Amino acid sequence: MIKRFFILSSLCIVLGVSAQNSHTVVKGDNPYNIAKKYGITVDELLKLNPKFKDGKLAIGDVVTVKAGKQNAQASKPAAVEKVKPNQSSAQVGKIILQPKQTVYGITKQYRISETDLRKLNPELDAHMKIGDEITLPLDSIKKYGGDQQVAPLTVEPKPTEPHSGINATASVEASMYVIQAKDNYYRITKQFGISQQELYALNPGLEEKGLKPGETIIVKNSKTDTSSVAEPVNPKTKIDSGNEKSATVAATSAGTTDDYVTYTVQQGDTVFSIVNKFGISIDELIALNPDLSKGLKSGMVLKIKKQDPAYVKKNGDALSVVLMLPFGYSTNETQYRGMALDFLTGAKLAIERNARGGQKLDIKIVDSGNEASFKNSMAQINPDNTDLIIGPFFKSNVIDVLDFTKNQKIPVVAPFANSPELYNYSNLIIVETNDQTYADKIVEEVRTVYSDQKIYVVADTKKEIANYIKGGLEKAVKNPNIMIVNSPAEIQLDQNMMTGQSAPVIAILASDNDTAGDAFANKMITLSKEVQGVKAFSMYYSPVFEKKVDDLSQASLVYLMDRKINAEGSFEKEILAAYKSKYCKTPPKYAIVGFDVVNDMLTRENKKGEIFKQMNKVQTQLATKFEFVKSKANGAYVNTGYRVIRLVP
């Protein structure tokens, strides 16, 4: 006992020194409270102690601090505000604290501010153990508590500030909806004509906990949506929206407000991983999020920093659009001329269509030439009077344009370039969905049906995507047996060790070669006739899949598709007829891309050139699905859209 008293006394002496140059870490210390104690910033503390730059402190560590006065406020106990009676009483109840419930989670689930929660529970921090009772407004428990038990009693709390979880104007026209088993965000937002961000705003906490069948959420009144195109459904075909987001797109939990980028804390995040991810200092992060002093918890929504200012049109009524296409006339280079001319025919159709709808457009076409002559083509662009640039086609040229326009932040659309090097540009819109997005979806699809089957992955010559899929599956399923092969001919049925009979396998096509698609389809048809339970997946669409629907349905083929026209849709029929009338032929591949890209971008624009305010809309054009997400806070918009086709027996 004497020894323990001596140690504690020594610690008190250390803590009591106000003008010392070092501090010995004790239990409960962290960089934030040490810095606050000695009147310095966290960044200053870490600069003085570079070996602790990761923020990991152990009891007994000695850190250098600046000599200075302790923060007088640090020693003052926090005042507990008493709940004053109100003239009208409000009924409250109690919930039993469940595993993993936090203060933040309770405020979000029950639509109550933390201030009001603490007024009802003055000793909240001391009563956050599983099984503890938490007092809440009874109406909130009944409305949002699900199966939680309620023990009502009447108290007279101080009137709280309005905090319903939805804004006043939204609540007037809001209605409730019960989540169904087959619902996903895409179906719900389309059904009720709202964006995914609006859905999250109406239902705080929904983004973190996800959609759960049977739960009730708030939605706007239903209205008809004409922006997406319905797909024809074959009796043996099931089409999924493909709404799930790719894990390869960084920081998908990052959102935006009018002034700040926000980030929802994920499991495994630390303060240091967050500041490194967003390139800010710890002091900046703490200044925007004072509650971090109480610790970082999964589900917290953090303000990160002010957004880059969005582009706003500066001149005239007409939207000034530049198309940068690689015709190669100035250098007499014809390599990409056919591609550029086809793209232009589709783009013209989209431009004329939007102009007829009343949009004022000023279109300029620039020959972007080749790599050597490209910079000369930029001299034709006036960055002070350009509202949107579509093109160029190639990554290095896109970077040149972004650097050229960096002061004006003009929206730039990259129709074909998709590379992590481009993700840092906040004014860039990337149209091409990358292979990792498709691969992640295939891994997810395989995971849902996997039950110890041998898995074959048919690779292309580079094997990069095949290895990526293999790595994803090794994390997603238990005891995976995965083989990468060069040809569908190498796929063989497995053998049951107990019976010696043939056993079904899972096969994945990771090549977009049509010849490989034909061979894969034929091999899977053959194997599915030998044994039931064979399952086939393809990252890419191949024409043979539609020709052999009946046979491939026996292998439960699942494939991802984009850039394919639904010839039976009314919108598609209109566009195809208009193109044929204008050019006397069916639109080729790059004409379809030209129409889809230009039409999608122009329909997101308004007379002020505020295209970025409309990037949350999901739209399907002639053949392409556009579903943009931020690559990271203050980063590029990347298209993650695709459609999932499931052939069912």
Side-chain angles (χ1 to χ4, degrees):
M1 177 64 71
I2 294 173
K3 184 176 181 181
R4 183 179 300 173
F5 177 77
F6 175 76
I7 293 172
L8 290 174
S9 299
S10 299
L11 288 176
C12 290
I13 292 170
V14 171
L15 292 174
V17 177
S18 63
Q20 61 192 53
N21 293 318
S22 64
H23 171 83
T24 303
V25 177
V26 298
K27 185 176 180 180
D29 273 349
N30 59 47
Y32 175 79
N33 62 31
I34 293 173
K36 188 175 181 182
K37 178 180 180 61
Y38 293 98
I40 60 177
T41 68
V42 176
D43 286 337
E44 287 174 330
L45 179 67
L46 295 179
K47 285 177 183 177
L48 290 170
N49 300 274
K51 68 178 181 179
F52 298 119
K53 64 181 180 180
D54 60 356
K56 295 179 180 178
L57 300 174
I59 295 174
D61 283 344
V62 177
V63 296
T64 301
V65 294
K66 284 185 178 180
K69 294 181 179 180
Q70 295 183 25
N71 190 327
Q73 294 180 349
S75 62
K76 291 182 181 180
V80 178
E81 184 176 352
K82 295 182 179 180
V83 179
K84 296 180 181 179
N86 183 24
Q87 291 180 350
S88 60
S89 63
Q91 198 173 26
V92 299
K94 293 181 182 292
I95 62 167
I96 306 299
L97 196 67
Q98 302 299 309
K100 297 184 179 180
Q101 274 190 309
T102 63
V103 171
Y104 174 81
I106 292 170
T107 61
K108 290 301 180 184
Q109 179 178 349
Y110 291 95
R111 317 302 201 266
I112 183 174
S113 69
E114 185 172 339
T115 300
D116 294 338
L117 179 64
R118 291 184 180 279
K119 287 177 182 177
L120 290 173
N121 300 270
E123 299 180 357
L124 181 64
D125 293 325
H127 292 85
M128 284 297 289
K129 300 187 296 296
I130 296 172
D132 283 346
E133 292 184 346
I134 304 297
T135 302
L136 291 166
L138 184 57
D139 286 345
S140 295
I141 296 175
K142 288 181 177 180
K143 189 177 292 186
Y144 309 117
D147 297 329
Q148 293 258 18
Q149 290 185 347
V150 182
L153 63 143
T154 301
V155 297
E156 297 180 344
K158 180 181 178 180
T160 61
E161 297 177 3
H163 189 86
S164 64
I166 61 175
N167 61 55
T169 55
S171 64
V172 172
E173 55 183 62
S175 58
M176 309 301 288
Y177 174 73
V178 178
I179 300 170
Q180 306 300 306
K182 295 182 179 180
D183 277 339
N184 57 36
Y185 292 123
Y186 176 81
R187 290 191 179 96
I188 292 173
T189 55
K190 281 301 173 188
Q191 180 177 346
F192 295 99
I194 59 175
S195 69
Q196 199 161 319
Q197 283 73 16
E198 288 174 317
L199 185 65
Y200 292 153
L202 289 167
N203 300 273
L206 183 65
E207 183 178 7
E208 291 80 25
K209 69 179 182 179
L211 297 172
K212 296 180 180 179
E215 288 193 354
T216 301
I217 57 175
I218 301 172
V219 294
K220 285 185 179 179
N221 290 331
S222 178
K223 62 182 179 181
T224 303
D225 184 359
T226 59
S227 65
S228 65
V229 177
E231 294 286 338
V233 180
N234 183 292
K236 294 181 179 293
T237 304
K238 181 181 178 184
I239 301 180
D240 182 45
S241 67
N243 188 60
E244 296 83 351
K245 296 294 184 291
S246 164
T248 61
V249 179
T252 53
S253 54
T256 59
T257 67
D258 288 341
D259 297 310
Y260 294 93
V261 171
T262 61
Y263 177 72
T264 303
V265 178
Q266 309 295 303
Q267 189 72 31
D269 276 342
T270 66
V271 170
F272 294 92
S273 69
I274 292 171
V275 298
N276 288 332
K277 178 182 292 185
F278 294 102
I280 60 175
S281 71
I282 295 175
D283 290 319
E284 287 176 319
L285 184 65
I286 292 175
L288 289 172
N289 304 275
D291 284 348
L292 274 179
S293 60
K294 301 172 186 175
L296 187 72
K297 297 178 182 178
S298 295
M300 290 178 70
V301 178
L302 302 178
K303 285 183 178 180
I304 302 298
K305 57 182 176 180
K306 279 187 175 291
Q307 299 181 80
D308 283 347
Y311 177 80
V312 177
K313 182 174 173 54
K314 300 180 181 69
N315 297 296
D317 294 332
L319 193 71
S320 180
V321 182
V322 172
L323 299 182
M324 300 192 75
L325 307 176
F327 298 114
Y329 289 119
S330 60
T331 55
N332 198 28
E333 186 176 11
T334 62
Q335 184 178 1
Y336 302 109
R337 188 173 298 168
M339 174 184 180
L341 288 169
D342 284 347
F343 187 98
L344 181 58
T345 60
K348 281 184 175 180
L349 198 66
I351 291 166
E352 292 167 0
R353 189 171 191 273
N354 284 275
R356 285 196 302 271
Q359 194 172 36
K360 293 183 179 180
L361 299 170
D362 179 9
I363 308 296
K364 183 173 186 177
I365 299 170
V366 172
D367 183 354
S368 59
N370 60 18
E371 297 286 331
S373 64
F374 178 75
K375 290 189 178 180
N376 294 331
S377 69
M378 288 194 294
Q380 302 176 51
I381 300 174
N382 177 6
D384 294 323
N385 190 28
T386 299
D387 303 313
L388 177 66
I389 299 174
I390 298 178
F393 286 3
F394 311 113
K395 181 182 73 174
S396 60
N397 296 159
V398 171
I399 292 174
D400 287 338
V401 171
L402 289 164
D403 289 340
F404 179 68
T405 62
K406 63 183 177 183
N407 292 331
Q408 293 82 7
K409 291 291 183 182
I410 300 168
V412 176
V413 181
F416 302 106
N418 187 329
S419 167
E421 298 169 60
L422 299 172
Y423 290 174
N424 291 324
Y425 296 91
S426 62
N427 58 318
L428 180 63
I429 300 168
I430 298 174
V431 169
E432 191 83 358
T433 302
N434 64 21
D435 285 337
Q436 285 78 13
T437 300
Y438 291 124
D440 286 330
K441 180 59 179 175
I442 289 296
V443 168
E444 181 185 329
E445 291 287 333
V446 172
R447 181 184 60 80
T448 61
V449 301
Y450 175 79
S451 57
D452 294 325
Q453 301 100 318
K454 187 172 184 178
I455 301 174
Y456 288 91
V457 184
V458 181
D460 59 15
T461 53
K462 295 181 180 178
K463 292 187 171 59
E464 291 177 2
I465 292 299
N467 283 315
Y468 183 88
I469 291 174
K470 182 180 179 182
L473 288 170
E474 286 173 342
K475 295 177 182 178
V477 303
K478 292 183 179 179
N479 305 316
N481 181 6
I482 305 168
M483 181 177 291
I484 295 177
V485 296
N486 298 317
S487 166
E490 299 178 56
I491 303 172
Q492 303 295 329
L493 294 174
D494 203 6
Q495 296 295 316
N496 187 305
M497 299 297 292
M498 300 294 292
T499 65
Q501 296 179 338
S502 295
V505 295
I506 292 174
I508 302 167
L509 179 63
S511 171
D512 61 353
N513 183 289
D514 283 344
T515 302
D518 288 341
F520 181 79
N522 292 332
K523 184 67 175 181
M524 299 316 297
I525 290 170
T526 299
L527 295 180
S528 64
K529 289 179 179 178
E530 293 183 32
V531 64
Q532 290 186 335
V534 170
K535 297 191 183 301
F537 300 85
S538 176
M539 276 181 56
Y540 308 100
Y541 162 79
S542 180
V544 70
F545 296 162
E546 289 186 305
K547 295 175 183 176
K548 299 184 177 182
V549 169
D550 290 343
D551 290 331
L552 288 170
S553 66
Q554 300 306 309
S556 300
L557 174 65
V558 176
Y559 62 94
L560 307 184
M561 181 180 72
D562 205 6
R563 300 279 167 84
K564 183 180 181 302
I565 300 173
N566 165 24
E568 300 303 315
S570 57
F571 171 77
E572 291 86 347
K573 285 181 178 179
E574 174 200 333
I575 302 305
L576 291 173
Y579 190 92
K580 192 165 187 178
S581 174
K582 188 175 181 67
Y583 299 106
C584 300
K585 63 178 181 180
T586 300
K589 175 182 177 180
Y590 291 109
I592 295 169
V593 176
F595 175 85
D596 281 2
V597 171
V598 175
N599 197 60
D600 190 78
M601 295 304 129
L602 293 183
T603 54
R604 294 177 192 272
E605 283 280 22
N606 61 22
K607 62 177 65 177
K608 293 182 180 179
E610 298 171 320
I611 189 171
F612 294 122
K613 290 191 175 181
Q614 303 296 324
M615 294 308 293
N616 60 349
K617 291 195 301 185
V618 178
Q619 299 186 156
T620 300
Q621 299 296 337
L622 187 58
T624 313
K625 182 176 179 180
F626 295 92
E627 185 170 5
F628 292 100
V629 299
K630 275 282 194 181
S631 60
K632 57 183 178 180
N634 281 348
Y637 287 93
V638 182
N639 186 19
T640 61
Y642 52 77
R643 287 164 285 180
V644 183
I645 313 299
R646 297 182 176 86
L647 303 185
V648 294

mmCIF file of all heavy atoms in Angstrom, residues 1 158 391 544 563:
data_model
loop_
_atom_site.group_PDB
_atom_site.id
_atom_site.type_symbol
_atom_site.label_atom_id
_atom_site.label_comp_id
_atom_site.label_asym_id
_atom_site.label_seq_id
_atom_site.Cartn_x
_atom_site.Cartn_y
_atom_site.Cartn_z
ATOM 1 N N MET A 1 0.836 -1.201 0.000
ATOM 2 C CA MET A 1 0.000 0.000 0.000
ATOM 3 C C MET A 1 0.871 1.252 0.000
ATOM 4 O O MET A 1 0.611 2.199 -0.711
ATOM 5 C CB MET A 1 -0.922 -0.016 1.215
ATOM 6 C CG MET A 1 -1.784 1.247 1.321
ATOM 7 S SD MET A 1 -2.947 1.424 -0.060
ATOM 8 C CE MET A 1 -4.074 0.093 0.363
ATOM 9 N N LYS A 158 -36.654 19.896 -20.006
ATOM 10 C CA LYS A 158 -36.537 21.205 -20.636
ATOM 11 C C LYS A 158 -36.857 21.068 -22.115
ATOM 12 O O LYS A 158 -36.497 20.088 -22.745
ATOM 13 C CB LYS A 158 -35.103 21.711 -20.468
ATOM 14 C CG LYS A 158 -34.852 23.080 -21.077
ATOM 15 C CD LYS A 158 -33.397 23.466 -20.864
ATOM 16 C CE LYS A 158 -33.098 24.792 -21.494
ATOM 17 N NZ LYS A 158 -31.697 25.184 -21.291
ATOM 18 N N GLY A 391 -13.573 15.283 -73.301
ATOM 19 C CA GLY A 391 -12.335 14.854 -73.910
ATOM 20 C C GLY A 391 -11.202 15.529 -73.160
ATOM 21 O O GLY A 391 -11.437 16.308 -72.223
ATOM 22 N N VAL A 544 -22.387 -14.344 -77.420
ATOM 23 C CA VAL A 544 -22.835 -15.733 -77.342
ATOM 24 C C VAL A 544 -23.750 -15.963 -76.145
ATOM 25 O O VAL A 544 -24.579 -16.888 -76.150
ATOM 26 C CB VAL A 544 -21.612 -16.684 -77.288
ATOM 27 C CG1 VAL A 544 -20.897 -16.562 -75.954
ATOM 28 C CG2 VAL A 544 -22.025 -18.130 -77.550
ATOM 29 N N ARG A 563 -22.716 -0.748 -72.077
ATOM 30 C CA ARG A 563 -22.571 -0.395 -73.473
ATOM 31 C C ARG A 563 -23.346 -1.346 -74.392
ATOM 32 O O ARG A 563 -22.856 -1.758 -75.430
ATOM 33 C CB ARG A 563 -21.076 -0.385 -73.867
ATOM 34 C CG ARG A 563 -20.240 0.617 -73.052
ATOM 35 C CD ARG A 563 -20.377 2.007 -73.610
ATOM 36 N NE ARG A 563 -19.855 3.026 -72.707
ATOM 37 C CZ ARG A 563 -18.572 3.385 -72.636
ATOM 38 N NH1 ARG A 563 -17.687 2.810 -73.393
ATOM 39 N NH2 ARG A 563 -18.198 4.334 -71.814
#
